[in-house]
Amino acid sequence: MESKEFIKKLKAYALKSSAIVAFILLWEAAPHLGLIDPIFIPPPSIIAAKIYQLLLSGELLVHTVASLERVFLGFIIALAVALPLGFLIGGWFKTFETAVDPLLQILGQANPFTLFPVFMALLGIGELSKIGIIYWVCQWPVLFNTVSGIKSVDPVYIKVGRSMGLTKFNLFKKVLLPAALPAVFTGIRMSAVFAFFMLIGAEMIGAHSGLGFLIIQSEAVFNMPKMYAAIVSVALLGIAINYVMLKLERRAMSWKEDVAV
Amino acid sequence: MAKIESVNVKKIFKIKKGGNQYDELPALGGVDLKIEQGEFMVIVGPSGCGKSTFLDLVSGLTLPDSGTITIDGKPVTGPGLDRAIVFQQNALFPWRTTLENVEFGLESTNPDRDNRREIALDYLSLVGLSGYHNHYPHQLSGGMKQRVSIARALALNPDIMLMDEPLAALDAQTREFLQRDILRISKESHKTVLFITHSIDEAVFLGDKVAVMSARPGVIKEILDIPLTAEQRAEDDVVATKEFVQSRLILWKLLKEEVVKVQESQIRFQNQAVAQSPARGIGNGLINAVRVLTKI
C-alpha cells in the first residue's frame, strides 16, 4: 500500500516538474546544437557553475544581503505606516476616508519608476532614496487592502460584538482585526512582490551593491555568465520570499477553509 | 411588571436617494407588546414586515424613533448582557474554534480563563456538541453551527434570548431536532424568549404565545395563546393534536391577509417603477427644457 502511495506521489511530482525539466534540457542543448549563441545566452550548466563560484567567493552573499536589507527596511516602514493608516481610514473616520480616498487612489496609481528621479532628487542617490522608493511602492497594496478588508467585514460580526457589550477598542481587536486579516495579508504579500521588483529597478539605476547592481555591472563588463547568475538568483530569491509569505499567511490564518483554486 | 414591554414603538428607515435627499420608509408603525418573565413569545409576519427590526430594537442595537421599550421597567438605551441574540446564520467567528466562539462573550465579563473554558464546555455539551470544541465553524454542518450560536448566547446566562430566525437556513429534519432542543433548554433554564420566524408550524410548536405582525409598517395585529401543554409538545405526534391544528389554522388565516397585502403593494410598486421609467424621465426633461427656453 505504502509503496503504491509513494509511486503515486512520485508520478505527480514528475508531471509537475516535467515542463521545467524540459525547458532546462532544451536550453542546455540549444547552444551545443548551434541554435543560440552561448556568448549571449550561456547554457544552464555554466550559469549554475557561476552561481556556485559566486557563492564560494562570497560575492553573491554580499549582494543578496545588501538587497534584502533594502527590501526589508522599505517593507517594514511601509507596514508601519500603511497598516495603522488603513485601519484608521477603514474603521473609524468615514468622512476622512471620503476626503482622502481620491487623492490616495491617484498617488497609488502613479508609476513608481517615474517617481524614482524625484526620490533621488529629494533623498540623494544613497540608500535612503532606494529604501524610500521601496517604502512608497509597498504601502499602497497594504493600505488599499486593509481599508477594503475592514470595510467589507460582515456586519453580523459587528452586531454580535456590539450585542455582547464590547468596547470600541475590543470590537476592533476581537472582531474587525481578525475579520479583515485575510485581505490585509493579501496586501502584504502583494507588497513583498512589488518591493522586490522595485528594488532591482532601483539598484540598476544607481547603486554600488545589490543583485540589481550585479546584473547591470556584469552586463557593462560583458560578463554574461555572471549576469545570468545574478538574474537566476533574483528569481530564486523572489520565489523564496513568496514561499515564506505564504507560510506566514497559512500560520496566521490556520482557521481558514482550504479551497482548491 | 412585564419582563419586556414595548409601547407604541415606531421605526423609520431613511434611504438615501442621492445627494442629501432621503426617502422615508416606515418599518414599524407602533408596536405594542408585552412579554412576561419565562414566556416564549414568537413573532410571525410576512417577509419585510419589520420583525427583525423589532428584535434589533429590543436588543438595543438600534433605538426606536418614538415609543419606548422597557426591560424590567427600565428603558432600553443600548445593548446589554441581560439579552443575548442568536442570529440567522453564519454569525460565528470563523477564526475562532467552537469553544473560543462560546467563550467570546465571557471574555469581557469573566477574567478567569479556566472558569471561562469550563462554562463554555458545559454549554457546548448542553447543545449536544461535546467533543467538537476544537473544530472551526467551517468544519461544522449548518445545524451544528446554530447549536454553537445558541451555546454562545446561553453562555452569558442572559435573562432574555432574542432569536432572529435561527433555524431558517436549516434543512427540515435538523430544524425539528433543534426546535425540540431550543424548547427544552429555554424551559429548563427559565429564559424569556423572543423568537422570530416566518414558519407557522415552528411558531405553534415553540410559542407560549404567537404574535402576528402586519405588513409594513409593522404593528402587532393579534396575539394568540397556544394551548399546548409541555407534555403534548414533547410527543412526536404533537402536530396531529387538535390544539396544534386549530392554532395553525387561525394563524394562517391571520397571516394570509398580510401576505396578500405585501404582494399587492409589490405589484403597485412595480407599476410605479414602470411609470417612472427612464424614457418617461427623458420626456419630462425635454418638456422642462422647452418650458425654460420659451420663458427666455
Side-chain angles (χ1 to χ4, degrees):
Chain A
M1 274 310 266
E2 261 181 34
S3 69
K4 248 187 193 169
E5 279 284 299
F6 180 71
I7 290 171
K8 216 175 168 186
K9 263 191 183 168
L10 207 65
K11 272 186 180 166
Y13 275 118
L15 187 66
K16 266 189 189 171
S17 46
S18 58
I20 298 173
V21 171
F23 178 73
I24 290 174
L25 284 178
L26 190 72
W27 186 0
E28 183 66 42
H32 294 296
L33 298 172
L35 292 174
I36 51 175
D37 189 341
I39 292 179
F40 290 108
I41 305 179
S45 54
I46 291 189
I47 296 171
K50 192 76 198 175
I51 291 179
Y52 184 64
Q53 189 201 329
L54 287 173
L55 273 175
L56 281 188
S57 71
E59 201 181 343
L60 194 60
L61 191 69
V62 169
H63 289 296
T64 307
V65 168
S67 288
L68 281 179
E69 249 177 42
R70 291 175 189 136
V71 167
F72 188 73
L73 280 171
F75 186 62
I76 291 296
I77 298 170
L79 290 189
V81 173
L83 281 178
L85 192 64
F87 285 131
L88 281 179
I89 293 177
W92 274 294
F93 303 115
K94 281 267 147 63
T95 11
F96 181 60
E97 196 233 331
T98 326
V100 297
D101 186 60
L103 174 67
L104 292 178
Q105 294 292 343
I106 292 170
L107 289 177
Q109 285 300 318
N111 186 326
F113 280 96
T114 63
L115 291 175
F116 197 55
V118 180
F119 274 80
M120 288 215 286
L122 291 175
L123 301 172
I125 54 166
E127 289 301 294
L128 214 52
S129 61
K130 290 176 199 64
I131 294 168
I133 196 84
I134 290 165
Y135 147 71
W136 179 261
V137 172
C138 284
Q139 69 179 343
W140 305 111
V142 176
L143 183 66
F144 292 142
N145 278 286
T146 305
V147 171
S148 78
I150 290 275
K151 278 168 70 182
S152 55
V153 170
D154 192 332
V156 81
Y157 298 152
I158 298 166
K159 266 186 163 183
V160 173
R162 281 189 56 214
S163 77
M164 297 201 172
L166 257 63
T167 57
K168 238 186 164 180
F169 175 74
N170 268 337
L171 194 67
F172 177 74
K173 191 180 109 188
K174 291 183 174 181
V175 180
L176 286 178
L177 198 63
L181 205 60
V184 173
F185 248 100
T186 307
I188 292 178
R189 207 145 46 82
M190 279 168 76
S191 277
V193 173
F194 284 6
F196 213 59
F197 282 173
M198 202 56 222
L199 164 86
I200 301 301
E203 284 176 347
M204 282 178 157
I205 294 173
H208 303 291
S209 63
L211 291 168
F213 162 76
L214 193 62
I215 294 172
I216 284 298
Q217 196 237 9
S218 308
E219 194 245 341
V221 300
F222 212 71
N223 190 343
M224 284 297 147
K226 199 173 177 182
M227 185 185 91
Y228 279 97
I231 291 174
V232 171
S233 303
V234 168
L236 291 178
L237 207 57
I239 293 171
I241 286 178
N242 200 36
Y243 180 79
V244 170
M245 298 307 291
L246 269 177
K247 280 275 154 187
L248 279 176
E249 193 175 337
R250 287 260 166 85
R251 179 152 249 204
M253 290 179 293
S254 54
W255 51 268
K256 261 194 112 180
E257 192 171 1
D258 273 326
V259 183
V261 182
Chain B
M1 189 182 4
K3 184 76 190 168
I4 307 172
E5 186 165 7
S6 163
V7 181
N8 198 21
V9 163
K10 291 183 184 170
K11 181 80 189 170
I12 297 164
F13 285 126
K14 291 198 166 106
I15 296 166
K16 211 168 186 169
K17 267 207 306 199
N20 279 329
Q21 285 195 314
Y22 289 93
D23 258 344
E24 290 200 337
L25 185 77
L28 294 176
V31 173
D32 292 302
L33 190 65
K34 262 189 199 175
I35 305 171
E36 300 298 329
Q37 164 67 40
E39 200 167 54
F40 201 120
M41 172 69 80
V42 181
I43 300 181
V44 289
S47 59
C49 73
K51 309 183 286 280
S52 295
T53 307
F54 180 65
L55 190 121
D56 275 358
L57 292 175
V58 176
S59 77
L61 286 172
T62 48
L63 295 174
D65 290 313
S66 69
T68 51
I69 294 177
T70 54
I71 287 170
D72 295 324
K74 283 185 250 56
V76 171
T77 53
L81 295 176
D82 54 340
R83 287 150 285 156
I85 315 176
V86 180
F87 293 93
Q88 196 180 90
Q89 60 170 337
N90 293 334
L92 292 180
F93 300 123
W95 56 88
R96 285 173 167 245
T97 62
T98 54
L99 184 75
E100 289 163 350
N101 262 292
V102 178
E103 278 182 274
F104 182 79
L106 296 169
E107 282 165 13
S108 37
T109 54
N110 187 342
D112 182 352
R113 221 175 195 190
D114 295 332
N115 184 238
R116 268 197 326 245
R117 195 184 144 86
E118 227 170 87
I119 295 172
L121 283 171
D122 276 353
Y123 280 104
L124 272 177
S125 81
L126 182 72
V127 296
L129 283 180
S130 26
Y132 285 94
H133 53 277
N134 279 330
H135 283 58
Y136 282 99
H138 77 263
Q139 297 167 314
L140 303 177
S141 70
M144 287 156 108
K145 280 185 208 168
Q146 283 313 75
R147 287 174 188 274
V148 179
S149 288
I150 292 167
R152 177 171 67 183
L154 284 170
L156 289 166
N157 197 18
D159 291 346
I160 300 168
M161 293 282 280
L162 303 171
M163 308 184 98
D164 190 1
E165 301 197 37
L167 310 179
L170 303 180
D171 63 87
Q173 292 103 18
T174 310
R175 204 172 168 150
E176 281 207 17
F177 277 109
L178 260 168
Q179 282 169 357
R180 288 182 182 277
D181 282 347
I182 288 173
L183 199 59
R184 170 178 61 85
I185 291 167
S186 71
K187 289 303 170 201
E188 277 171 9
S189 54
H190 308 288
K191 304 282 183 217
T192 307
V193 184
L194 177 60
F195 191 104
I196 307 280
T197 182
H198 54 246
S199 157
I200 296 175
D201 285 36
E202 190 164 278
V204 176
F205 178 71
L206 290 173
D208 296 323
K209 286 182 182 168
V210 178
V212 179
M213 217 164 179
S214 72
R216 201 178 59 220
V219 293
I220 300 296
K221 189 179 175 184
E222 196 150 334
I223 298 170
L224 191 71
D225 281 302
I226 306 295
L228 288 168
T229 61
E231 291 75 36
Q232 276 177 309
R233 289 181 211 254
E235 294 296 326
D236 278 335
D237 61 356
V238 56
V239 292
T241 58
K242 194 180 78 210
E243 290 85 352
F244 191 99
V245 174
Q246 272 176 353
S247 304
R248 197 188 180 290
L249 190 67
I250 298 168
L251 279 176
W252 169 237
K253 280 182 179 157
L254 287 167
L255 200 57
K256 197 165 74 176
E257 295 165 27
E258 300 307 318
V259 174
V260 169
K261 270 189 222 162
V262 171
Q263 282 171 346
E264 278 168 357
S265 80
Q266 273 169 352
I267 291 165
R268 258 204 315 279
F269 181 75
Q270 273 164 6
N271 289 342
Q272 252 175 21
V274 171
Q276 293 171 345
S277 66
R280 181 107 179 238
I282 292 168
N284 284 340
L286 276 175
I287 292 165
N288 281 336
V290 171
R291 274 193 199 136
V292 171
L293 284 174
T294 47
K295 263 187 197 163
I296 295 167

